[in-house]
Amino acid sequence: MLAATSGAELIDGKAFAEALRARIGERAAAFAQYAGRRPGLAVVLVGEDPASQVYVGAKAKACEAAGIASFEHRLSADTSEAALLSLVERLNQDEAVDGILVQMPLPQGLDEQAIIAAINPDKDVDGFHVINAGRLSVGQEGFIPCTPLGCMMLLKDRLGDLSGLDAVVIGRSNIVGKPMAQLLVDANATVTIAHSRTKNLADIVRRADIVVAAVGRPEMIRGDWIKPGATVIDVGINRLPPEEGKERGRLVGDVAFAESRDVAGAITPVPGGVGPMTIAVLLRNTLVAAHHHAGMPVPEGL
Ligand code: NDP
């Protein structure tokens, strides 16, 4: 979904995500009618991290709006690893739960990898389990992390066939950069993965038809790095220090938006670009998990 701006077209992730959520809502209702229960997502939050509380609240609200049952488990920061593992095991066995999400980061002392490894890969709607990472890397069906899958949906909507396009992914994290690069390779793009040790980053970005920035550094990618006409997907969410008289700073991406929109062919804004896609894809993955769980074919349009 595109909206005109001066220069680049704006990739309206918010509108795309709303349309996806509406389709999910329809298909969740059809699922409930057939299966006799709503699709279910269990969200586990350990501790009182304020950002995580906001995310978990937003996920629960989005679930309910789409007709997906949300089971929230809020545990205190001093929860032991054994207690958390036992909750995960209960959720693995729970027939009403199709997807399990343990909100990261976990408080110190809890081994995130051990917790992710304990989730049944078929309920791992975040796509963080090594089995799902492995499935993605060998081209088998599995759960793909929500943010890169959301980016891919926006790219395909904008560009259609990505065959032969030069893509650069800046960032190599397990939750964004690496799966993003894998999805782009699978879509037949020629992919460069850049990171903190990359030399001549500006020159690499200048060659790219597709730029995906997932760094976490405010406005690091400058307008004069962007190839004219390129499609720019900005995953970064960074809060600047507050301006005088303001309580909170502005949210910006990893790409200098004002400079880049004059050069790019299309660009995602921050906020309103990739961000809204992440939760919509989480709902999508949960609905897919529910269909698998119930032995039903996954409907079209997801
Ligand atoms: P990580 O911190 O895990 O990874 C950042 C990556 O950027 C690393 O691979 C790092 O390289 C690389 N990097 C750091 N500095 C530079 C540099 N100067 N030049 C080139 N590469 C650099 O972050 P995430 O992948 O988790 O997230 C990235 C951004 O996306 C953050 O702003 C985060 O808030 C946002 N985000 C947004 C989401 C959304 O829903 N829109 C969801 C998830 C994340 P190295 O590996 O060498 O250290």
Side-chain angles (χ1 to χ4, degrees):
M1 275 190 200
L2 296 170
T5 66
S6 66
E9 289 188 81
L10 211 59
I11 300 176
D12 189 344
K14 192 160 172 268
F16 191 102
E18 271 167 21
L20 176 58
R21 281 163 63 157
R23 293 197 299 278
I24 291 166
E26 285 165 14
R27 287 151 183 78
F31 174 91
Q33 213 164 27
Y34 185 87
R37 65 172 181 89
R38 290 188 293 167
L41 174 68
V43 180
V44 181
L45 172 64
V46 189
E48 270 96 50
D49 179 65
S52 294
Q53 284 182 333
V54 172
Y55 295 145
V56 164
K59 286 167 187 173
K61 223 170 114 188
C63 276
E64 291 299 332
I68 293 175
S70 137
F71 309 106
E72 264 184 69
H73 297 266
R74 292 179 183 249
L75 309 178
S76 65
D78 61 2
T79 299
S80 69
E81 194 165 304
L84 185 53
L85 286 169
S86 120
L87 171 61
V88 168
E89 192 42 40
R90 254 196 304 127
L91 298 173
N92 282 341
Q93 303 298 335
D94 189 336
E95 288 300 323
V97 171
D98 300 294
I100 302 171
L101 179 152
V102 179
Q103 184 65 44
M104 302 293 164
L106 290 173
Q108 270 196 338
L110 295 174
D111 180 351
E112 294 185 350
Q113 288 312 316
I115 303 302
I116 294 169
I119 297 172
N120 176 347
D122 296 332
K123 294 192 178 189
D124 168 42
V125 286
D126 254 342
F128 294 167
H129 195 290
V130 286
I131 293 283
N132 282 315
R135 285 171 175 160
L136 176 61
S137 87
V138 297
Q140 286 177 11
E141 201 191 329
F143 289 111
I144 296 167
C146 303
T147 302
L149 183 53
C151 293
M152 202 60 195
M153 289 177 180
L154 296 178
L155 279 170
K156 287 200 168 150
D157 184 58
R158 151 87 187 154
L159 295 168
D161 185 9
L162 310 191
S163 284
L165 294 179
D166 279 318
V168 60
V169 179
I170 313 157
R172 56 174 165 182
S173 70
N174 290 334
I175 62 167
V176 189
K178 280 185 201 154
M180 187 71 234
Q182 186 72 54
L183 287 170
L184 286 162
V185 172
D186 291 349
N188 300 318
T190 304
V191 183
T192 303
I193 305 175
H195 45 75
S196 66
R197 311 290 176 89
T198 297
K199 291 187 185 137
N200 304 324
L201 180 59
D203 289 340
I204 291 170
V205 174
R206 277 188 194 108
R207 291 199 294 268
D209 306 304
I210 296 170
V211 179
V212 181
V215 187
R217 290 179 177 256
E219 302 184 318
M220 187 190 89
I221 289 118
R222 310 307 312 184
D224 67 355
W225 299 13
I226 304 294
K227 177 175 168 177
T231 301
V232 179
I233 304 289
D234 190 352
V235 182
I237 302 178
N238 310 287
R239 193 169 290 283
L240 295 179
E243 289 161 30
E244 219 178 282
K246 295 260 169 74
E247 212 172 285
R248 298 222 293 171
R250 239 170 8 104
L251 278 186
V252 296
D254 292 340
V255 178
F257 181 79
E259 294 171 8
S260 304
R261 72 193 280 185
D262 291 336
V263 194
I267 185 167
T268 56
V270 176
V274 174
M277 291 301 293
T278 299
I279 289 189
V281 175
L282 174 68
L283 303 178
R284 179 244 174 231
N285 282 355
T286 303
L287 187 57
V288 169
H291 282 81
H292 289 163
H293 191 180
M296 290 163 63
V298 176
E300 302 274 304
L302 297 177

